[in-house]
Amino acid sequence: MTGTSALPVLELTGIDKEFAGNPVLRGVQLRLYPGEIHALMGQNGAGKSTLIKVLTGVLESSGGQMLLMGQSIRPDSPLAAQKLGISTVYQEVNLCPNLSVAENVFAGRYPRYGWTQGYRIDWSTVHRRARELLARIGLDIDVTQLLSTFPVAVQQLVAIARALGVESKVLILDEPTSSLDEDEVQKLFEVLRRLRGEGLAIVFVSHFLNQVYAISDRITVLRNGEWVGEWMANALPPQALISAMLGREFAVQNTHAVQQRDAAQEVVLLETQGLGQAGRLQPVDLKLHAGEVLGLAGLLGAGRTELARLLFGLETSDKGSLQIDGQTAQLSNPADAVQYGIALCPEERKTDGIVAELSVRENIALALQARLGLRKFLSLAEQTTLAEYFVKTLGIKTASIETPIGLLSGGNQQKAVIARWLATDPRLLILDEPTRGIDVAAKQEIMEEILRLARGGMSVLFISSEMSEVVRVSDRIAVLRDRRKVGELPGGSSEDEVYALIAADHV
Ligand SMILES: Nc1ncnc2c1ncn2[C@@H]1O[C@H](COP(=O)(O)OP(=O)(O)OP(=O)(O)O)[C@@H](O)[C@H]1O
Ligand SMILES: [Mg+2]
């Protein structure tokens, strides 16, 4: 599939980038061949997104050279890069859910009538061209519908359609699969293989190693802003890849949570009886013990997030009841939940999670301050101690705890969001896709920290699309499908057993 004998379509050499004197990229290289899928790998903060932004004109490099088909280029905006044939879907997808699909595909560059008609937008052309672009990636949907009415996977494909032009030679996808379930990833991969067949060079960034090996022909590894090497994917076993990313050996732990449980499991912390909400979640019975990790498994849209939001008072139930410590509890809003010692680390980092302009310290202290309310203000010294502890424990890569969090890499922002909720020392921690975008090594460290806290008595409700992670850390697994609970499995169950329950026709 890969044309090693052909000339690279794109070649970067000696790329430097610094922010206020801090080098983030040092002499980085990358070469892309037509008709290949190239994985760009590295730990959180290694410089992957920065390299992509330099390449696509979002950021200006401090040095180095970029050759497109042998010609030196220096795009000064994503639009300029797109005109050169370099199409990009960034890590933070910026689509507008309340615009139609067609509007999203063309926003900012609508085809217009000529001056005789006052340069009005030519909607029939917009709709026709949007349909054509989507057809290229095998998507046949009503382009006049609001984007928000489609699943995330479709939205992701719309982002690709928006990025692709007729002249595209290079397509760059920065963590495109982080919010997709397994089926949807397969659909995306079909599209990528089709585009590769058309001769596109595709750059793919992901922290899911299984996906990297399923789709990539070649792998480039960055570490600490430096180029480590380039390999054919089939010549670089996963262990060697991880070592290249880390610069040291690394053993994937397989210790199962269930072996470490103690008798604390007998104390029921929270119990729901027929808890539900019309149109969002069918009545659910659930028991959560102190010190237990309860995994919630299911496909996207199965109702996991809906249940999490009910338990955190973000939505109000209209059916059933909820007991905490054996007492009926009403959770009308998150403040109620916080008073009961419940914390929710939400799925959407950008909208529900970080406050980009505030510092890492302020972001970490935020939830604890809210829990303490007006009773007590955290002093600067207390906030500093807290932030420094979590920066160290979770390995958050930041210049300082005073750095605005928006300047951290995606994975490091996510770690700070987890830290914020751990800081409240909750009795029940609800984690909705907590390790999305987090690198292999950090993922393991975070899960170990969470298990350690659970062994200390904290209950955890753990939601993840990564089934391997769910079965590895859960003491018990509740399975949801079509917005209802379809069963429970004991800790130690296999991924296949969970999938079998998800796929079962009836209960
Ligand atoms: N605008 C900025 N100002 C200062 N530092 C920045 C800025 N943008 C990125 N950085 C720093 O550059 C480094 C590399 O970040 P980058 O986003 O490229 O990492 P990444 O490899 O994409 O990581 P992740 O896997 O977490 O997405 C990080 O340490 C980050 O804090
Ligand atoms: Mg990134």
Side-chain angles (χ1 to χ4, degrees):
M1 196 50 86
T2 355
T4 328
S5 53
L7 286 174
V9 54
L10 186 74
E11 197 163 11
L12 313 189
T13 43
I15 301 292
D16 294 325
K17 175 69 197 171
E18 57 179 54
F19 290 107
N22 285 330
V24 166
L25 297 175
R26 278 177 301 248
V28 170
Q29 52 181 314
L30 179 69
R31 17 169 228 169
L32 303 176
Y33 290 92
E36 79 165 345
I37 298 181
H38 195 125
L40 181 60
M41 300 293 293
Q43 280 189 275
N44 296 130
K48 305 177 295 294
S49 296
T50 305
L51 181 64
I52 289 169
K53 287 179 187 158
V54 163
L55 166 58
T56 59
V58 176
L59 296 171
E60 200 185 339
S61 66
S62 327
Q65 197 185 33
M66 306 196 263
L67 297 177
L68 182 72
M69 321 274 280
Q71 303 286 315
S72 177
I73 57 162
R74 208 168 236 288
D76 55 8
S77 72
L79 196 59
Q82 194 171 27
K83 284 192 178 135
L84 290 167
I86 303 171
S87 308
T88 316
V89 178
Y90 295 96
Q91 189 164 0
E92 311 288 346
V93 178
N94 283 317
L95 293 177
C96 306
N98 50 356
L99 293 183
S100 73
V101 170
E103 286 170 313
N104 269 287
V105 170
F106 285 106
R109 48 189 182 128
Y110 289 111
R112 288 174 191 272
Y113 292 110
W115 63 272
T116 46
Q117 290 160 74
Y119 297 106
R120 276 182 299 118
I121 294 173
D122 175 1
W123 285 109
S124 67
T125 305
V126 168
H127 291 150
R128 180 175 49 77
R129 295 245 304 265
R131 272 192 297 275
E132 285 167 6
L133 275 171
L134 292 172
R136 182 170 174 202
I137 57 172
L139 203 58
D140 180 15
I141 55 171
D142 181 355
V143 298
T144 62
Q145 291 286 316
L146 289 189
L147 185 70
S148 58
T149 59
F150 295 99
V152 192
V154 171
Q155 300 187 18
Q156 193 79 50
L157 293 176
V158 170
I160 294 178
R162 173 178 168 80
L164 278 180
V166 242
E167 298 295 315
S168 288
K169 300 176 190 75
V170 175
L171 172 64
I172 303 172
L173 302 167
D174 196 351
E175 299 194 37
T177 60
S178 55
S179 18
L180 308 186
D181 70 25
E182 307 258 343
D183 283 352
E184 295 172 327
V185 168
Q186 291 317 315
K187 278 189 210 118
L188 173 68
F189 282 3
E190 271 168 40
V191 170
L192 297 189
R193 290 193 183 104
R194 180 200 293 220
L195 294 171
R196 169 173 68 185
E198 290 175 13
L200 250 78
I202 299 172
V203 177
F204 177 69
V205 178
S206 170
H207 290 292
F208 301 108
L209 294 193
N210 54 347
Q211 294 178 4
V212 167
Y213 282 100
I215 194 84
S216 322
D217 303 298
R218 198 190 300 264
I219 299 175
T220 286
V221 175
L222 302 184
R223 182 169 71 233
N224 250 327
E226 288 179 16
W227 183 83
V228 178
E230 182 207 273
W231 294 266
M232 294 306 291
N234 56 17
L236 184 70
Q239 273 304 325
L241 168 60
I242 297 174
S243 299
M245 285 165 56
L246 268 62
R248 61 178 164 87
E249 294 300 315
F250 179 77
V252 178
Q253 301 277 321
N254 268 321
T255 42
H256 198 281
V258 81
Q259 295 155 0
Q260 302 159 27
R261 286 296 315 280
D262 60 25
Q265 73 190 85
E266 303 317 322
V267 182
V268 176
L269 171 70
L270 179 147
E271 184 169 0
T272 71
Q273 278 133 357
L275 192 75
Q277 189 188 13
R280 296 177 64 93
L281 189 69
Q282 300 291 324
V284 167
D285 290 340
L286 200 73
K287 246 187 211 159
L288 244 164
H289 301 98
E292 175 181 50
V293 179
L294 178 66
L296 270 193
L299 304 179
L300 277 190
R304 296 167 305 172
T305 296
E306 286 75 6
L307 179 57
R309 291 174 63 88
L310 277 181
L311 295 181
F312 193 59
L314 279 163
E315 300 285 340
T316 318
S317 60
D318 52 22
K319 289 189 202 71
S321 64
L322 172 76
Q323 273 109 41
I324 297 173
D325 297 323
Q327 306 283 316
T328 301
Q330 274 295 337
L331 303 178
S332 314
N333 53 55
D336 290 345
V338 167
Q339 289 313 317
Y340 279 108
I342 302 175
L344 168 72
C345 182
E347 159 180 49
E348 286 295 329
R349 162 172 84 233
K350 211 172 155 198
T351 47
D352 304 338
I354 63 158
V355 187
E357 318 75 58
L358 292 187
S359 69
V360 173
R361 169 179 55 79
E362 289 165 308
N363 269 280
I364 291 178
L366 211 62
L368 177 57
Q369 183 62 73
R371 182 172 182 181
L372 297 173
L374 298 175
R375 282 180 288 136
K376 181 180 184 307
F377 282 99
L378 290 171
S379 68
L380 183 61
E382 285 167 322
Q383 294 184 23
T384 302
T385 311
L386 196 69
E388 278 172 351
Y389 172 78
F390 283 107
V391 163
K392 187 157 171 283
T393 319
L394 301 185
I396 300 172
K397 193 172 177 232
T398 177
S400 124
I401 59 169
E402 299 306 329
T403 305
I405 200 168
L407 300 185
L408 269 57
S409 80
N412 284 299
Q413 293 179 10
Q414 179 66 11
K415 290 188 203 174
V417 174
I418 297 176
R420 172 193 298 167
W421 294 106
L422 289 177
T424 64
D425 192 16
R427 301 177 65 205
L428 168 59
L429 176 62
I430 306 172
L431 294 165
D432 196 354
E433 302 284 357
T435 57
R436 195 174 269 183
I438 288 182
D439 71 57
V440 233
K443 205 176 269 185
Q444 185 156 316
E445 279 158 21
I446 288 174
M447 289 319 301
E448 271 164 19
E449 173 71 7
I450 288 167
L451 281 176
R452 196 181 63 72
L453 292 168
R455 295 312 153 230
M458 180 178 82
S459 301
V460 179
L461 190 65
F462 180 67
I463 304 175
S464 169
S465 301
E466 270 184 277
M467 203 61 80
S468 56
E469 213 173 58
V470 176
V471 297
R472 191 162 66 80
V473 304
S474 304
D475 296 307
R476 203 154 47 92
I477 301 166
V479 179
L480 272 68
R481 188 187 64 222
D482 298 335
R483 301 176 183 278
R484 70 176 75 229
K485 184 175 151 194
V486 293
E488 274 188 21
L489 291 166
S493 300
S494 69
E495 286 181 57
D496 283 350
E497 286 168 305
V498 182
Y499 281 121
L501 194 50
I502 289 176
D505 286 335
H506 56 271
V507 252

